[in-house]
Amino acid sequence: LEAMAMGLPVVLTPAAATGIGGMDQRHFVVAESDEELTSTAAALIAHPPRARKIGRDAREAVRRRLDLPCV
């Protein structure tokens, strides 16, 4: 949640995504295996506009859910 609140794109395992209260591919990206975690992170690095969008959407979702004043 801290990384999401900072507007960073986050790659999570299915277990880590449980209870976050966001949507896969919108607020974070879920990856099942070590290989998928690596390739998903690399894909986000290779596509900055997508990474920025996920980060922005994640930040807003955390702000709304926790009623935090994000700066």
Side-chain angles (χ1 to χ4, degrees), residues 39-71:
S39 66
T40 300
L44 287 172
I45 291 168
H47 295 85
R50 180 169 182 248
R52 281 191 298 272
K53 171 107 173 78
I54 290 171
R56 280 192 309 267
D57 290 349
R59 184 173 186 263
E60 182 60 24
V62 170
R63 188 195 65 76
R64 278 194 319 267
R65 179 174 174 164
L66 300 178
D67 196 25
L68 296 173
C70 295
V71 281

Side-chain angles (χ1 to χ4, degrees), residues 7-28:
L8 299 172
V10 176
V11 181
L12 302 169
T13 64
T18 302
I20 294 287
M23 294 172 44
D24 182 23
Q25 302 297 322
R26 180 167 177 197
H27 303 115
F28 49 80

